[in-house]
Amino acid sequence: MKLKPFLTLIMLIIAATTYGQSGYRHPLQDYYYKKNIDNRRIWQRISLSVGKHYIPGKIDLHYIGIPDSQFYDTTLTRSIKSKRSYIVHVGTYFPIAIVSDQSMLVFNVELMASTTTIAYDTVMFADSGKFMHPFETYRVGIPLSLEYRLGGDVTLNKRNKSMFSVGVGIMPSLNNSDDYGHRPPYKILPFVKAELGFFALVAVKVRAIGYFGNTDYVYSELYNVAQGGRGDYLKAEGRGSNGFNLSVVVMPFSFKWNTYSW
């Protein structure tokens, strides 16, 4: 895992915040320090998101068997596909520092759950040895991120229609496994995040998150897998990046945001 780009992003966000703090307007400062930082309006910053999680990677299939009266000992490698993939988030954020009239450095906290079916193209180990077996992978985690936010979800004002945010963070997570001896269930995943949105009755945003690093997703041993096979054996080992997800974010309580001008 290359941490240099990740650390560079953190430094850029902190530098932008430090540079901008000298220019904020006092009414905004007073508003946030009196209304938001003491958490009296934390519920107006809650967000819910639903989307898809994608896992690029490879799977190795080592087959031993006699599917058509001939002995086979074959290893194949295939690209994996993410099917029936879903991810959900729920969370909120806490103001850290004012940058400008409509921008702020915040600390974002969420709960996340995802499920992905790992599949690949059907393979032929022999003339009668057609095979494809999907594997399920699950993940739950707590994404924690430092973010620069600009627009309506900073001012909590319906007049500020557009919204933008970028951030970096880490996510302590638990992952399911077919074999915990080969795949430990816990990980801490660094990630980068970006959002772009607008206000229309409620705040709606499009979110992209990319996770650093790689994971071994599959380690499974199967028997009698091919049609006509007698005591045949298959070992499947799947690996890939920690993936990325695209989702739609809704802030359900944003209909209570203010409408006044500064």
Side-chain angles (χ1 to χ4, degrees):
M1 178 180 63
K2 297 180 179 180
L3 289 178
K4 186 175 179 180
F6 180 73
L7 296 175
T8 301
L9 280 172
I10 294 178
M11 296 303 296
L12 287 174
I13 292 175
I14 294 174
T17 303
T18 303
Y19 176 80
Q21 277 189 298
S22 60
Y24 63 71
R25 222 165 73 188
H26 286 291
L28 182 61
Q29 181 196 34
D30 293 341
Y31 174 79
Y32 266 99
Y33 277 64
K34 290 179 181 179
K35 297 292 187 180
N36 286 12
I37 292 182
D38 63 7
N39 292 333
R40 278 184 280 173
R41 302 191 67 186
I42 187 174
W43 57 278
Q44 291 191 19
R45 303 194 298 267
I46 290 175
S47 64
L48 305 172
S49 74
V50 178
K52 296 285 189 178
H53 186 61
Y54 302 93
I55 303 173
K58 300 286 186 180
I59 189 167
D60 295 328
L61 304 169
H62 182 197
Y63 175 77
I64 299 175
I66 313 175
D68 51 8
S69 301
Q70 182 177 348
F71 179 75
Y72 288 86
D73 186 343
T74 306
T75 299
L76 302 174
T77 299
R78 293 290 184 269
S79 296
I80 60 176
K81 304 175 182 179
S82 301
K83 294 188 174 181
R84 293 192 297 276
S85 171
Y86 305 98
I87 187 166
V88 295
H89 287 79
V90 58
T92 190
Y93 60 90
F94 302 90
I96 295 176
I98 304 285
V99 178
S100 69
D101 286 355
Q102 296 184 23
S103 62
M104 181 177 284
L105 185 71
V106 305
F107 178 64
N108 195 74
V109 181
E110 295 185 332
L111 297 175
M112 182 281 294
S114 69
T115 175
T116 303
T117 299
I118 295 177
Y120 48 91
D121 291 337
T122 299
V123 298
M124 293 289 294
F125 297 115
D127 292 341
S128 60
K130 183 183 294 186
F131 180 78
M132 203 290 287
H133 178 75
F135 298 91
E136 301 289 336
T137 179
Y138 308 94
R139 178 177 288 160
V140 294
I142 305 176
L144 308 171
S145 54
L146 181 69
E147 300 179 12
Y148 170 78
R149 293 194 176 224
L150 172 67
D153 55 349
V154 169
T155 62
L156 304 187
N157 194 311
K158 297 177 183 178
R159 292 177 180 269
N160 302 128
K161 298 293 186 180
S162 60
M163 286 161 279
F164 169 77
S165 65
V166 62
V168 293
I170 59 171
M171 183 177 72
S173 64
L174 292 174
N175 308 269
N176 75 305
S177 176
D178 297 322
D179 188 338
Y180 290 109
H182 290 81
R183 297 169 54 209
Y186 48 84
K187 268 183 172 290
I188 296 181
L189 306 179
F191 63 88
V192 293
K193 172 182 176 183
E195 294 178 343
L196 184 65
F198 59 91
F199 185 90
L201 300 179
V202 294
V204 180
K205 298 186 282 186
V206 176
R207 170 188 289 177
I209 298 178
Y211 299 94
F212 289 80
N214 300 291
T215 290
D216 294 328
Y217 290 101
V218 175
Y219 184 90
S220 185
E221 296 180 325
L222 305 172
Y223 297 89
N224 301 319
V225 297
Q227 182 179 0
R230 299 193 302 273
D232 54 358
Y233 162 83
L234 176 71
K235 181 170 72 172
E237 295 181 273
R239 63 204 180 278
S241 76
N242 285 315
F244 63 94
N245 55 263
L246 302 173
S247 54
V248 175
V249 183
V250 175
M251 301 182 74
F253 302 109
S254 57
F255 73 93
K256 293 291 290 182
W257 286 0
N258 295 307
T259 56
Y260 59 80
S261 300
W262 298 109

